[in-house]
Amino acid sequence: MTTSAPLDRSLQALTDGYTFWLHLRPEPRATVRTRLLGSRAVSISGADAVRFFYETPGLERSTALPEPVVGTLFGKGAVHTLDGDDHRHRKQLFTSLLDAKAAWTISGNAVEGWRRRAAGWDGEVDLGVAARSVLLEAVTSWAGVEVDDLGLRSRDMMLMVDGFGNAGARGHVKARRARGRSERWIAQQVRHAREGAPLPTPLSDVARHRDRDGNLLDERVAAVEVLNVLRPTTAVSWFVVGGAYAFERFPHLRQGLLDGDFSALDLAHELRRRLPFAPYLAARATRELEHRGTRIPAGALVVLDLWGTDHDPGLYERPDALDPTRFSGREPTPYDLVPQGGGDRERGHRCPGEDVTIALLVALLPELARLPFRLTGSTRIPMDRMPPHLSGRSVVQPADA
């Protein structure tokens, strides 16, 4: 089934947030045609749509990403803006860095940092601020990045993330300023890493990475790519706070994790499914395509509805329920759980740091469950905002054990 809507709905997409395509889609997996950013757009959803989006020749990313997103979230010249062989070459840098050893090291650093801070918590603690500091410290320690001001740098990481879907000019300006500060901070360290004999660190690996023509990356682009490791790792704090919301609203989940009714991995998958960070992704058709009988003209945007896929009733029974047991004994595929994109992680555009995200949640969710706390604010998660504004509602009051 296909619906048509001639009006440009870019503003509505920002104001509706995660529910945008839900409002337009008459039924799960229905193809929706509309206009976004002045272009014809076709939105697709479901596991077969994920496969189509990632495996169909004739779709490119470089011309589909809007400048406001590149200028705040990804950074100019980032791997996300590349296609073809250039993308595969740059992507190999990330997959080689973010391997199983990296996930183990970063998550171990995070647990150590969490426990060190938690031992001193007395009274009200902003869990979002605490989590982002823990995570940035954990990933920069692994990466060999020197942090001059942990509070400022972790806050800037979150401002960059918070700005990509922010319809307000003030939030967008803050995000751009945070990116400028962050790129200058890392570019200086890239410069130093290129001088003399480099220490064997992920920072120096990025600093000395060469493109397909054998040239070093521009200093600022190298800084962008370092940030594309630091920023998403710090953003895992959104899921940590989401776990706090879940434990507060559904106490049986906290107890179930502690009692072993389901694993931390099961809960990590379910939190990422139920509280996906990215709402949707876009590519541009370079030639005429067809999906489920719907013609996609050359030049049109093809929008993969991540939220709709992760809440597809054909894939998940009671998709709006928070139920980690749905993953007990079942490993999700790259096509039916796509909060960080889908498809082949090695060659496609799926997030190369997804294993790090999962390792961090598996390590930190039990720590959170054992922490005696109660949220002092609302546990309602606003789905009209991208990403959900959780940090202002994540103040916790540790209680006596």
Side-chain angles (χ1 to χ4, degrees):
M1 180 176 180
T2 303
T3 64
S4 298
L7 298 177
D8 191 291
R9 297 181 180 270
S10 302
L11 182 58
Q12 183 184 349
L14 286 175
T15 56
D16 284 2
Y18 294 91
T19 63
F20 172 66
W21 295 114
L22 178 65
H23 292 159
L24 296 183
R25 205 180 303 282
E27 60 187 39
R29 298 184 298 283
T31 302
V32 177
R33 288 198 287 195
T34 186
R35 293 187 72 84
L36 290 175
L37 301 172
S39 295
R40 291 169 293 183
V42 178
S43 174
I44 59 178
S45 180
D48 64 329
V50 176
R51 193 177 293 276
F52 174 86
F53 186 81
Y54 284 99
E55 299 179 3
T56 300
L59 288 173
E60 67 177 16
R61 306 303 177 83
S62 57
T63 61
L65 291 172
E67 195 284 332
V69 173
V70 175
T72 56
L73 187 63
F74 298 136
K76 294 181 179 179
V79 63
H80 312 77
T81 66
L82 303 177
D83 285 301
D85 291 339
D86 288 334
H87 173 263
R88 284 188 285 273
H89 181 79
R90 183 83 62 83
K91 182 67 176 288
Q92 188 176 20
L93 168 67
F94 286 89
T95 55
S96 65
L97 290 176
L98 298 171
D99 58 9
K101 182 179 179 181
W104 182 85
T105 301
I106 296 169
S107 60
N109 291 346
V111 168
E112 180 182 347
W114 178 280
R115 289 175 178 173
R116 185 175 65 251
R117 285 172 172 77
W121 288 343
D122 182 18
E124 289 196 341
V125 176
D126 189 320
L127 186 58
V129 172
R132 74 193 190 198
S133 295
V134 165
L135 291 166
L136 182 59
E137 188 176 54
V139 69
T140 51
S141 177
W142 162 80
V145 172
E146 296 181 4
V147 181
D148 50 358
D149 186 331
L150 186 62
L152 170 65
R153 301 308 180 186
S154 63
R155 184 167 62 251
D156 278 351
M157 296 294 143
M158 304 317 289
L159 285 173
M160 284 186 278
V161 175
D162 191 54
F164 85 88
N166 196 321
R170 184 177 180 182
H172 188 75
V173 169
K174 285 184 177 180
R176 284 190 180 271
R177 288 175 176 170
R179 171 155 290 283
R181 283 191 298 269
S182 299
E183 288 182 6
R184 289 190 294 272
W185 164 52
I186 298 298
Q188 184 178 39
Q189 298 192 49
V190 167
R191 192 179 314 124
H192 292 162
R194 289 175 173 175
E195 297 170 353
L199 294 174
T201 65
L203 170 67
S204 65
D205 287 347
V206 177
R208 293 180 174 265
H209 176 74
R210 295 182 181 272
D211 63 21
R212 291 177 59 233
D213 295 325
N215 300 316
L216 290 172
L217 299 179
D218 177 85
E219 189 176 277
R220 197 69 173 247
V221 172
V224 163
E225 299 298 39
V226 173
L227 289 172
N228 279 327
V229 174
L230 307 186
R231 171 189 47 76
T233 303
T234 310
V236 175
S237 60
W238 253 282
F239 290 123
V240 174
V241 175
Y245 278 44
F247 291 156
E248 181 77 3
R249 188 171 180 181
F250 307 108
H252 70 280
L253 291 178
R254 183 203 291 248
Q255 198 59 48
L257 178 60
L258 295 175
D259 291 345
D261 297 338
F262 49 84
S263 70
L265 178 60
D266 297 336
L267 182 56
H269 285 325
E270 180 67 348
L271 283 175
R272 293 168 62 244
R273 183 197 71 83
R274 187 65 183 85
L275 306 171
F277 175 73
Y280 40 84
L281 298 172
R284 192 176 297 278
T286 59
R287 58 182 174 82
E288 185 172 309
L289 301 170
E290 182 178 312
H291 176 68
R292 288 193 170 190
T294 298
R295 173 181 169 271
I296 302 173
L301 291 175
V302 179
V303 182
L304 177 62
D305 184 0
L306 300 180
W307 171 259
T309 300
D310 286 332
H311 290 76
D312 185 340
L315 296 173
Y316 298 101
E317 184 179 355
R318 299 183 304 118
D320 291 332
L322 187 61
D323 179 15
T325 63
R326 72 173 80 243
F327 288 106
S328 297
R330 176 199 168 220
E331 185 65 25
T333 76
Y335 305 99
D336 62 16
L337 182 63
V338 290
Q340 293 172 265
D344 184 352
R345 190 187 71 166
E346 298 295 324
R347 297 176 61 82
H349 281 264
R350 189 183 185 105
C351 177
E354 189 169 14
D355 287 350
V356 174
T357 297
I358 294 170
L360 284 167
L361 289 176
V362 168
L364 291 179
L365 287 173
E367 298 292 325
L368 181 64
R370 288 190 287 267
L371 179 71
F373 73 88
R374 61 179 181 83
L375 292 179
T376 61
S378 169
T379 57
R380 175 185 170 274
I381 297 177
M383 300 310 296
D384 58 346
R385 193 181 191 282
M386 302 182 295
H389 195 279
L390 300 183
S391 60
R393 297 175 174 83
S394 62
V395 178
V396 298
Q397 173 70 53
D400 293 334

